[in-house]
Amino acid sequence: GRYCDGIAIRHVDWGIGNRYMNLVADASPAPVFNMQCEYYHPFQILADLMTIMEKKGRNLKRKKVVMSWAYAESYQKPMSIPNSMTLQFPRFGMDYVLAYPEEFKLPEETIAQGKEFARQNGGGFEIVHDMDEAFKDADVIYPKSWGPWMVTTDPKEAEAIIKKYTNWITDGRRMALAKEDAIFMHPLPADRGVEVTNEVMDGPNSVIYDEAENKMHICASVYALTMS
């Protein structure tokens, strides 16, 4: 912390990353930035919010935003994006829908806080276990894979669970269930053809590159507020 103006850390190892960042922050005189841990991804969620406001307006009350689990083969991914989104988006009065197979639940405290934020801000909060049901009449579609961390941390057991749900993919048929002007979002990189089809990734409803650019602007803004 004495060598620099700030420290940016990305550490997603389960049970280690978040604690490590907090220990560094406790010791450092310079600000420490969470670039992603196993629980949180604050810069990404701010960039997501910025993107939705660009496309749907700053008043997001009662906009239906779907955070859906998606199948992916690459590895057991952290829950940081759905966890952060569940804590952030209900603060803006959206009708927030969290969709996932039964084994992929989030921490109970996250769900409790998300529901309370929705109540305070006049939005909805719904958990469903059917991808098609979640997508119906949505304004925003955001699929993302994460591991069954609340069920198991064993890689082989997690892999077996994940492989049960290969049909949780965002394709043209599912996007057609959402509103005609619904936007498709993803933090990237995506497992093309596994999490989402090319038809959707490269289609007219996709805003993934605007979303990626906005993360740069969000990071620059936070750095300016904390280090200038």
Side-chain angles (χ1 to χ4, degrees):
R2 298 189 183 198
Y3 289 141
C4 55
D5 297 306
I7 302 172
I9 302 175
R10 183 186 181 102
H11 195 331
V12 301
D13 288 358
W14 186 256
I16 301 174
N18 186 264
R19 173 172 164 73
Y20 174 79
M21 289 182 193
N22 278 280
L23 289 171
V24 175
D26 287 343
S28 173
V32 173
F33 305 101
N34 181 345
M35 305 311 293
Q36 187 181 18
C37 69
E38 72 270 43
Y39 290 110
Y40 307 111
H41 203 344
F43 284 93
Q44 182 64 56
I45 298 307
L46 288 172
D48 296 337
L49 181 63
M50 177 180 175
T51 306
I52 295 173
M53 286 184 172
E54 284 181 344
K55 306 302 179 183
K56 299 295 181 181
R58 296 186 66 86
N59 183 2
L60 299 176
K61 285 191 177 294
R62 308 323 300 254
K63 295 291 185 183
K64 183 177 178 180
V65 179
V66 178
M67 173 76 246
S68 175
W69 184 85
Y71 174 69
E73 296 174 329
S74 49
Y75 67 101
Q76 187 180 359
K77 300 181 181 183
M79 63 166 62
S80 47
I81 287 180
N83 204 51
S84 295
M85 190 177 292
T86 301
L87 292 170
Q88 173 77 308
F89 281 15
R91 299 170 190 248
F92 292 83
M94 306 175 189
D95 285 339
Y96 181 67
V97 178
L98 184 60
Y100 56 84
E102 295 280 358
E103 296 94 335
F104 295 87
K105 60 185 179 180
L106 301 181
E108 291 182 5
E109 58 268 28
T110 295
I111 300 301
Q113 289 181 59
K115 288 181 176 179
E116 177 58 20
F117 289 141
R119 186 194 65 78
Q120 291 175 0
N121 295 284
F125 191 109
E126 185 180 5
I127 296 174
V128 299
H129 303 298
D130 182 283
M131 206 174 186
D132 286 0
E133 179 185 344
F135 276 42
K136 290 177 182 176
D137 298 319
D139 295 287
V140 178
I141 296 295
Y142 197 132
K144 179 70 178 73
S145 178
W146 66 90
W149 295 105
M150 296 291 97
V151 174
T152 181
T153 58
D154 179 78
K156 289 186 177 179
E157 187 177 353
E159 183 181 4
I161 294 172
I162 291 169
K163 284 185 175 179
K164 290 164 54 179
Y165 301 105
T166 57
N167 63 327
W168 280 64
I169 181 173
T170 301
D171 54 16
R173 182 192 68 78
R174 282 203 167 106
M175 279 301 297
L177 297 172
K179 291 181 180 176
E180 188 175 352
D181 63 346
I183 59 174
F184 170 82
M185 304 180 69
H186 195 285
L188 303 181
D191 288 7
R192 282 178 177 260
V194 180
E195 279 186 279
V196 54
T197 62
N198 290 337
E199 173 191 14
V200 174
M201 283 280 284
D202 303 322
N205 298 82
S206 177
V207 298
I208 56 174
Y209 299 117
D210 294 327
E211 184 181 2
E213 178 189 338
N214 284 340
K215 192 173 178 185
M216 174 182 66
H217 300 312
I218 287 293
C219 289
S221 299
V222 174
Y223 296 156
L225 287 168
T226 52
M227 294 189 294
S228 61

